[in-house]
Amino acid sequence: MDARVVNALIAAVVNTLKTLLNVTPSVGKPGLLKEIKPKYDMVTVIGFSGGVEGNLIYSFSPSTALKIVSKMMGLQYDNLDDLAMSAIGELGNMIAGALAMNLEKVGCRIIISPPTVVTGKNLKLTVEGLSINLLTSIFDSDDAEVILSTKGSMKCQQ
């Protein structure tokens, strides 16, 4: 996987969460995945195509999701209802949009799809290509996981 894509993703995650939630997350070292089994029960998937094709997948524990929604809404949120799920999806839009802007800076245009938010235990996702995960600490140690899956080679201006 091209280091420019990984660096664009890390910057997108850190800067979006810092701006939106007023917290500076820490992102772990990228690890190669053989299969995608999200660490947490709340999962968002956003596809992208263009100069790079693949998926941005992230997962949170329910308690982290509630903290994120509370920060986004500016009030205490205790239930993962439809509005909360929409907010989690919107966070994905923001991170994916930041990823698209960061890749544009290195001559790579992508188009992102709307987010899909799913919940459930023991989820397994099947995607083509190479996948890496980044364990991310937002409020607590490793309370989020970001997965980047790409297929094919980068078709961008060099």
Side-chain angles (χ1 to χ4, degrees):
M1 186 174 298
D2 192 301
R4 293 175 294 174
V5 176
V6 176
N7 290 334
L9 174 64
I10 292 170
V13 169
V14 170
N15 293 333
T16 301
L17 294 174
K18 189 174 182 179
T19 300
L20 186 64
L21 306 178
N22 199 29
V23 294
T24 302
S26 65
V27 178
K29 182 178 176 182
L32 189 61
L33 295 174
K34 292 183 181 181
E35 62 182 354
I36 299 177
K37 290 185 175 182
K39 184 174 180 176
Y40 299 106
D41 298 346
M42 177 168 282
V43 179
T44 302
V45 180
I46 300 172
F48 54 90
S49 61
V52 181
E53 294 185 6
N55 295 283
L56 173 60
I57 303 159
Y58 60 93
S59 69
F60 304 115
S61 66
S63 64
T64 296
L66 285 171
K67 289 177 187 176
I68 289 169
V69 171
S70 294
K71 287 262 193 183
M72 288 176 73
M73 301 290 192
L75 55 98
Q76 183 62 37
Y77 230 79
D78 298 316
N79 186 18
L80 290 172
D81 59 13
D82 289 342
L83 185 60
M85 298 291 271
S86 178
I88 293 297
E90 184 55 32
L91 174 63
N93 272 335
M94 292 177 194
I95 292 172
L99 173 62
M101 289 189 310
N102 290 344
L103 287 173
E104 179 82 25
K105 292 175 187 173
V106 296
C108 191
R109 288 185 162 212
I110 63 169
I111 298 168
I112 59 175
S113 71
T116 300
V117 180
V118 295
T119 59
K121 296 192 181 307
N122 302 318
L123 295 173
K124 181 179 176 185
L125 304 173
T126 302
V127 297
E128 291 182 30
L130 184 64
S131 299
I132 61 164
N133 75 327
L134 302 166
L135 290 178
T136 304
S137 301
I138 302 172
F139 303 109
D140 298 308
S141 179
D142 297 341
D143 60 347
E145 178 182 43
V146 179
I147 299 169
L148 179 66
S149 176
T150 61
K151 64 180 185 175
S153 59
M154 204 168 153
K155 301 174 222 96
C156 307
Q157 299 171 4
Q158 300 296 331

